[in-house]
Amino acid sequence: MPVTLLGAAEIRALAADLDVTPTKKLGQNFVVDANTVRRIVQVARVEAGERVVEVGPGLGSLTLAILETGATVTAVEIDHRLAARLPETAAAHGVPDGALTVVDADALRVSDLPGDPTVLVANLPYNVSVPVLLHLLETFPNLQRGVVMVQAEVGERLAAAPGSKVYGTPSAKAAWYGPWRLAGTVSRQVFWPVPNVDSVLVAFERDETPRGSDAARRRTFEIIDAAFGQRRKMLRQSLSGALGGSAAAATTVLEAAGVAPTDRAEQLGIDEFVRIADAG
């Protein structure tokens, strides 16, 4: 029996049955268009036999599109009602036993994922999208690639290059793990309820060789936080607290790292931040 997808009418019926009213707090804008969820899965290059982690599956529209490929899914859902119903929905749509595992938990606190997934596919709400992504990439080194649907503002920041207007802390920290790119736009009309913001797809690939140890990552992230904590200031000023307690001490470290003390955080890529962390 092939896996079938949810239609718009069934999604609304499920929500009514569960007494789920989409809320901004949980970012619950449900995707009601089958072509869109299939497109997300296609962009993610999900193949049969792969193990995928999905964060916030909601009523299951994207979940079923992933399972349709023959992949298996570990779905992390914070809403207890949705987590409890998802296996039933999957079974009713032809998903074979064992293909779906639901973890009833907050993705920001999850420390174990059944099945050891290697691909991330998710529709993430605005308020937690960056923290969730960074937590998953830090906690699960076997995640090799993924595609997430996020609000356009978030996606543009994640994929931003040094020197661009939206480049900032999320851009630099995400780059620690590998390259990110914008992978398409998503119409507002495919959501229920229709949001008042645009959404995009963002794709990432984890670097084959890690940039450094976990201790090196933490130190680099401290430098990034300090550097962007005082936007538009020269690094010798913004990093004085993190590099010796004075502008003179920071200058010495920056010069040792091959970075101009008069540069600003917005100009630096992840490699420069790593060199500063190593030097300081």
Side-chain angles (χ1 to χ4, degrees):
M1 177 180 176
V3 174
T4 57
L5 304 190
L6 287 170
E10 188 177 0
I11 288 170
R12 289 179 172 84
L14 275 170
D17 187 42
L18 292 168
D19 195 25
V20 170
T21 302
T23 66
K24 284 188 177 181
K25 180 179 178 183
L26 294 178
Q28 288 173 325
N29 293 95
F30 299 118
V31 181
V32 295
D33 178 68
N35 289 331
T36 297
V37 290
R38 282 188 171 125
R39 176 179 159 224
I40 295 169
V41 173
Q42 184 178 36
V43 172
R45 309 193 317 274
V46 176
E47 297 180 356
E50 289 190 301
R51 188 80 191 194
V52 178
V53 58
E54 181 190 9
V55 176
L59 295 167
S61 55
L62 179 56
T63 316
L64 291 172
I66 300 169
L67 290 162
E68 185 184 38
T69 68
T72 53
V73 173
T74 299
V76 183
E77 176 56 63
I78 194 173
D79 187 315
H80 305 309
R81 298 167 299 173
L82 298 176
R85 175 57 70 92
L86 189 56
E88 182 181 331
T89 302
H93 281 263
V95 174
D97 290 345
L100 171 66
T101 302
V102 179
V103 178
D104 186 346
D106 182 347
L108 282 168
R109 292 177 171 79
V110 69
S111 59
D112 179 63
L113 288 175
D116 200 17
T118 59
V119 183
L120 169 65
V121 181
N123 170 19
L124 297 175
Y126 174 83
N127 57 333
V128 297
S129 50
V130 171
V132 164
L133 285 169
L134 293 177
H135 171 70
L136 292 175
L137 288 166
E138 173 191 339
T139 309
F140 304 104
N142 285 331
L143 284 177
Q144 297 303 309
R145 70 177 195 277
V147 170
V148 293
M149 180 163 57
V150 292
Q151 285 191 15
E153 176 188 344
V154 175
E156 287 163 2
R157 285 176 69 82
L158 283 167
S164 70
K165 290 183 178 180
V166 295
Y167 181 76
T169 303
S171 324
K173 288 184 176 179
W176 168 272
Y177 299 101
W180 297 69
R181 64 180 176 85
L182 293 175
T185 58
V186 180
S187 168
R188 300 183 187 188
Q189 304 307 313
V190 305
F191 294 97
W192 171 67
V194 176
N196 57 7
V197 294
D198 293 322
S199 296
V200 296
L201 302 180
V202 186
F204 72 88
E205 302 268 354
R206 189 188 289 266
D207 288 336
E208 288 187 14
T209 304
R211 275 182 196 281
S213 65
D214 193 52
R217 179 194 58 78
R218 290 196 299 270
R219 178 58 176 160
T220 301
F221 283 15
E222 288 173 2
I223 296 296
I224 291 170
D225 286 335
F228 284 102
Q230 301 181 57
R231 288 183 70 84
R232 308 302 173 192
K233 286 198 173 184
M234 294 180 185
L235 292 170
R236 66 188 179 199
Q237 296 169 291
S238 61
L239 290 179
S240 59
L243 298 176
S246 69
T251 294
T252 299
V253 174
L254 289 163
E255 289 178 342
V259 176
T262 53
D263 280 351
R264 290 168 170 77
E266 295 79 12
Q267 299 170 262
L268 303 191
I270 186 60
D271 291 334
E272 286 83 7
F273 283 118
V274 171
R275 293 207 306 269
I276 295 169
D278 287 344

